[in-house]
Amino acid sequence: ITQYVGAVTGTSPTLDGKIQDSPDNSTWTDVAGATFTQVTSSTNTQTIGINKRKVSRYIRHVGTIGGTSPSFSMAVSGEGYAQVY
């Protein structure tokens, strides 16, 4: 899962991104080890690998922003790969 951040504005802006999972798309919990490093400036790309066998059926990205009048231009994408053992 990749978190892309472009332009960032505001006074002392912060973005804390993480991945959560859910078995029913209703009750969500944080995925262990799936937290992005806090973003405070423009042009930041981070990728986290997740073992699909260790997460529930649904996953989502949760971003919490802080600062004074913060604004983040961002996107999140994910890709899946089959592994053969």
Side-chain angles (χ1 to χ4, degrees):
I1 298 173
T2 302
Q3 173 183 275
Y4 305 92
V5 176
V8 175
T9 61
T11 303
S12 301
T14 60
L15 168 66
D16 297 304
K18 64 183 176 181
I19 304 301
Q20 293 183 331
D21 70 344
S22 171
D24 57 8
N25 202 23
S26 179
T27 303
W28 296 90
T29 57
D30 294 347
V31 174
T35 302
F36 296 94
T37 301
Q38 186 179 72
V39 178
T40 59
S41 60
S42 299
T43 315
N44 182 288
T45 301
Q46 298 179 49
T47 301
I48 293 176
I50 296 175
N51 183 339
K52 72 174 189 149
R53 294 180 184 160
K54 295 185 178 183
V55 294
S56 297
R57 180 177 180 185
Y58 301 95
I59 61 171
R60 71 180 181 185
H61 174 275
V62 176
T64 303
I65 60 173
T68 302
S69 301
S71 177
F72 288 82
S73 174
M74 66 169 297
V76 177
S77 68
E79 294 183 41
Y81 297 96
Q83 292 182 331
V84 179
Y85 293 94

Short mmCIF file of all heavy atoms in Angstrom, two decimals, residues 1-31:
data_model
loop_
_atom_site.label_atom_id
_atom_site.label_comp_id
_atom_site.label_asym_id
_atom_site.label_seq_id
_atom_site.Cartn_x
_atom_site.Cartn_y
_atom_site.Cartn_z
N ILE A 1 0.86 -1.16 0.00
CA ILE A 1 0.00 0.00 0.00
C ILE A 1 0.91 1.22 0.00
O ILE A 1 1.83 1.30 0.80
CB ILE A 1 -0.94 0.00 1.22
CG1 ILE A 1 -1.84 -1.24 1.17
CG2 ILE A 1 -1.74 1.28 1.28
CD1 ILE A 1 -2.69 -1.43 2.39
N THR A 2 0.62 2.15 -0.91
CA THR A 2 1.46 3.33 -1.04
C THR A 2 0.64 4.59 -0.73
O THR A 2 -0.47 4.75 -1.23
CB THR A 2 2.07 3.43 -2.44
OG1 THR A 2 2.83 2.25 -2.70
CG2 THR A 2 3.00 4.63 -2.56
N GLN A 3 1.22 5.45 0.07
CA GLN A 3 0.64 6.75 0.41
C GLN A 3 1.47 7.81 -0.32
O GLN A 3 2.66 7.94 -0.10
CB GLN A 3 0.70 6.96 1.92
CG GLN A 3 0.28 8.33 2.40
CD GLN A 3 0.44 8.49 3.90
OE1 GLN A 3 -0.44 8.12 4.66
NE2 GLN A 3 1.58 9.03 4.33
N TYR A 4 0.81 8.54 -1.21
CA TYR A 4 1.46 9.61 -1.97
C TYR A 4 0.99 10.96 -1.45
O TYR A 4 -0.21 11.20 -1.39
CB TYR A 4 1.07 9.54 -3.45
CG TYR A 4 1.32 8.23 -4.13
CD1 TYR A 4 0.32 7.25 -4.18
CD2 TYR A 4 2.54 7.97 -4.75
CE1 TYR A 4 0.55 6.05 -4.83
CE2 TYR A 4 2.77 6.77 -5.40
CZ TYR A 4 1.77 5.81 -5.43
OH TYR A 4 1.98 4.62 -6.08
N VAL A 5 1.91 11.83 -1.09
CA VAL A 5 1.57 13.18 -0.65
C VAL A 5 2.24 14.17 -1.60
O VAL A 5 3.44 14.08 -1.84
CB VAL A 5 2.01 13.44 0.81
CG1 VAL A 5 1.74 14.88 1.20
CG2 VAL A 5 1.30 12.48 1.76
N GLY A 6 1.44 15.11 -2.13
CA GLY A 6 1.97 16.14 -3.02
C GLY A 6 2.15 17.43 -2.25
O GLY A 6 2.98 17.52 -1.35
N ALA A 7 1.34 18.43 -2.57
CA ALA A 7 1.44 19.74 -1.93
C ALA A 7 0.91 19.70 -0.50
O ALA A 7 -0.10 19.06 -0.22
CB ALA A 7 0.67 20.77 -2.73
N VAL A 8 1.61 20.38 0.38
CA VAL A 8 1.22 20.51 1.79
C VAL A 8 1.26 21.99 2.15
O VAL A 8 2.23 22.67 1.86
CB VAL A 8 2.17 19.72 2.72
CG1 VAL A 8 1.82 19.95 4.18
CG2 VAL A 8 2.12 18.24 2.39
N THR A 9 0.18 22.48 2.75
CA THR A 9 0.15 23.87 3.19
C THR A 9 -0.39 23.96 4.61
O THR A 9 -0.93 22.99 5.15
CB THR A 9 -0.73 24.74 2.27
OG1 THR A 9 -2.07 24.24 2.29
CG2 THR A 9 -0.21 24.74 0.84
N GLY A 10 -0.26 25.13 5.21
CA GLY A 10 -0.74 25.37 6.56
C GLY A 10 0.44 25.64 7.48
O GLY A 10 1.60 25.59 7.08
N THR A 11 0.12 25.93 8.72
CA THR A 11 1.14 26.17 9.73
C THR A 11 1.33 24.90 10.55
O THR A 11 0.37 24.38 11.12
CB THR A 11 0.72 27.33 10.65
OG1 THR A 11 0.48 28.49 9.85
CG2 THR A 11 1.80 27.64 11.68
N SER A 12 2.53 24.38 10.57
CA SER A 12 2.88 23.14 11.27
C SER A 12 1.94 21.99 10.90
O SER A 12 1.39 21.30 11.77
CB SER A 12 2.86 23.36 12.78
OG SER A 12 3.78 24.36 13.16
N PRO A 13 1.75 21.72 9.58
CA PRO A 13 0.84 20.65 9.17
C PRO A 13 1.44 19.27 9.47
O PRO A 13 2.65 19.07 9.35
CB PRO A 13 0.70 20.86 7.67
CG PRO A 13 1.99 21.49 7.26
CD PRO A 13 2.39 22.36 8.42
N THR A 14 0.59 18.33 9.87
CA THR A 14 1.02 16.95 10.09
C THR A 14 -0.03 16.01 9.52
O THR A 14 -1.22 16.30 9.53
CB THR A 14 1.19 16.62 11.59
OG1 THR A 14 -0.06 16.81 12.27
CG2 THR A 14 2.27 17.46 12.22
N LEU A 15 0.43 14.88 8.99
CA LEU A 15 -0.44 13.81 8.51
C LEU A 15 0.06 12.51 9.10
O LEU A 15 1.22 12.14 8.92
CB LEU A 15 -0.44 13.72 6.99
CG LEU A 15 -1.08 12.47 6.39
CD1 LEU A 15 -2.59 12.44 6.66
CD2 LEU A 15 -0.82 12.38 4.90
N ASP A 16 -0.80 11.82 9.84
CA ASP A 16 -0.48 10.51 10.40
C ASP A 16 -1.37 9.49 9.69
O ASP A 16 -2.58 9.47 9.89
CB ASP A 16 -0.74 10.48 11.91
CG ASP A 16 0.16 11.45 12.66
OD1 ASP A 16 1.38 11.32 12.51
OD2 ASP A 16 -0.35 12.32 13.37
N GLY A 17 -0.76 8.67 8.84
CA GLY A 17 -1.51 7.66 8.08
C GLY A 17 -1.29 6.27 8.63
O GLY A 17 -0.21 5.93 9.11
N LYS A 18 -2.36 5.45 8.57
CA LYS A 18 -2.25 4.07 9.03
C LYS A 18 -3.27 3.22 8.27
O LYS A 18 -4.19 3.73 7.64
CB LYS A 18 -2.49 3.96 10.53
CG LYS A 18 -3.89 4.37 10.96
CD LYS A 18 -4.03 4.31 12.48
CE LYS A 18 -5.39 4.83 12.94
NZ LYS A 18 -5.50 4.80 14.41
N ILE A 19 -3.09 1.91 8.36
CA ILE A 19 -3.99 0.96 7.72
C ILE A 19 -4.78 0.23 8.80
O ILE A 19 -4.23 -0.17 9.82
CB ILE A 19 -3.21 -0.06 6.85
CG1 ILE A 19 -2.35 0.68 5.80
CG2 ILE A 19 -4.16 -1.05 6.19
CD1 ILE A 19 -3.13 1.57 4.86
N GLN A 20 -6.07 0.07 8.55
CA GLN A 20 -6.94 -0.68 9.45
C GLN A 20 -7.61 -1.81 8.65
O GLN A 20 -7.73 -1.72 7.43
CB GLN A 20 -8.02 0.22 10.04
CG GLN A 20 -7.49 1.28 10.97
CD GLN A 20 -8.59 2.12 11.59
OE1 GLN A 20 -9.65 2.32 11.01
NE2 GLN A 20 -8.34 2.61 12.80
N ASP A 21 -8.05 -2.84 9.37
CA ASP A 21 -8.79 -3.92 8.73
C ASP A 21 -10.07 -4.24 9.48
O ASP A 21 -10.25 -3.81 10.63
CB ASP A 21 -7.92 -5.17 8.54
CG ASP A 21 -7.58 -5.90 9.83
OD1 ASP A 21 -7.73 -5.32 10.93
OD2 ASP A 21 -7.16 -7.06 9.76
N SER A 22 -10.97 -4.96 8.79
CA SER A 22 -12.27 -5.30 9.37
C SER A 22 -12.78 -6.59 8.75
O SER A 22 -12.69 -6.77 7.54
CB SER A 22 -13.27 -4.17 9.09
OG SER A 22 -14.58 -4.55 9.46
N PRO A 23 -13.39 -7.46 9.54
CA PRO A 23 -13.98 -8.67 8.99
C PRO A 23 -15.36 -8.41 8.38
O PRO A 23 -15.85 -9.18 7.55
CB PRO A 23 -14.10 -9.61 10.19
CG PRO A 23 -14.23 -8.68 11.36
CD PRO A 23 -13.41 -7.47 11.01
N ASP A 24 -16.01 -7.28 8.77
CA ASP A 24 -17.39 -7.04 8.37
C ASP A 24 -17.66 -5.65 7.80
O ASP A 24 -18.81 -5.27 7.57
CB ASP A 24 -18.31 -7.26 9.57
CG ASP A 24 -17.95 -6.37 10.77
OD1 ASP A 24 -17.07 -5.48 10.62
OD2 ASP A 24 -18.53 -6.58 11.84
N ASN A 25 -16.61 -4.86 7.57
CA ASN A 25 -16.72 -3.50 7.05
C ASN A 25 -17.48 -2.59 8.02
O ASN A 25 -18.09 -1.61 7.62
CB ASN A 25 -17.38 -3.48 5.66
CG ASN A 25 -17.05 -2.23 4.88
OD1 ASN A 25 -16.05 -1.56 5.12
ND2 ASN A 25 -17.90 -1.90 3.91
N SER A 26 -17.44 -2.94 9.31
CA SER A 26 -18.14 -2.16 10.32
C SER A 26 -17.24 -1.88 11.53
O SER A 26 -17.15 -0.75 11.98
CB SER A 26 -19.40 -2.91 10.78
OG SER A 26 -20.07 -2.18 11.77
N THR A 27 -16.59 -2.90 12.04
CA THR A 27 -15.69 -2.78 13.19
C THR A 27 -14.26 -2.80 12.69
O THR A 27 -13.84 -3.77 12.06
CB THR A 27 -15.92 -3.94 14.17
OG1 THR A 27 -17.30 -3.96 14.55
CG2 THR A 27 -15.05 -3.80 15.40
N TRP A 28 -13.52 -1.72 12.97
CA TRP A 28 -12.17 -1.56 12.42
C TRP A 28 -11.11 -1.60 13.52
O TRP A 28 -11.33 -1.10 14.62
CB TRP A 28 -12.07 -0.23 11.67
CG TRP A 28 -12.96 -0.21 10.48
CD1 TRP A 28 -14.26 0.21 10.43
CD2 TRP A 28 -12.65 -0.66 9.17
NE1 TRP A 28 -14.77 0.06 9.16
CE2 TRP A 28 -13.79 -0.47 8.36
CE3 TRP A 28 -11.51 -1.20 8.58
CZ2 TRP A 28 -13.83 -0.80 7.02
CZ3 TRP A 28 -11.54 -1.53 7.24
CH2 TRP A 28 -12.68 -1.33 6.47
N THR A 29 -9.95 -2.21 13.20
CA THR A 29 -8.81 -2.23 14.10
C THR A 29 -7.54 -1.90 13.31
O THR A 29 -7.46 -2.16 12.11
CB THR A 29 -8.63 -3.60 14.79
OG1 THR A 29 -8.51 -4.61 13.79
CG2 THR A 29 -9.81 -3.92 15.68
N ASP A 30 -6.55 -1.34 14.00
CA ASP A 30 -5.27 -1.02 13.36
C ASP A 30 -4.54 -2.31 13.00
O ASP A 30 -4.53 -3.27 13.78
CB ASP A 30 -4.39 -0.19 14.29
CG ASP A 30 -4.97 1.18 14.59
OD1 ASP A 30 -5.92 1.60 13.89
OD2 ASP A 30 -4.46 1.84 15.51
N VAL A 31 -3.90 -2.32 11.84
CA VAL A 31 -3.08 -3.45 11.43
C VAL A 31 -1.69 -3.24 12.02
O VAL A 31 -1.07 -2.19 11.83
CB VAL A 31 -2.99 -3.55 9.89
CG1 VAL A 31 -2.02 -4.64 9.46
CG2 VAL A 31 -4.38 -3.79 9.29
#
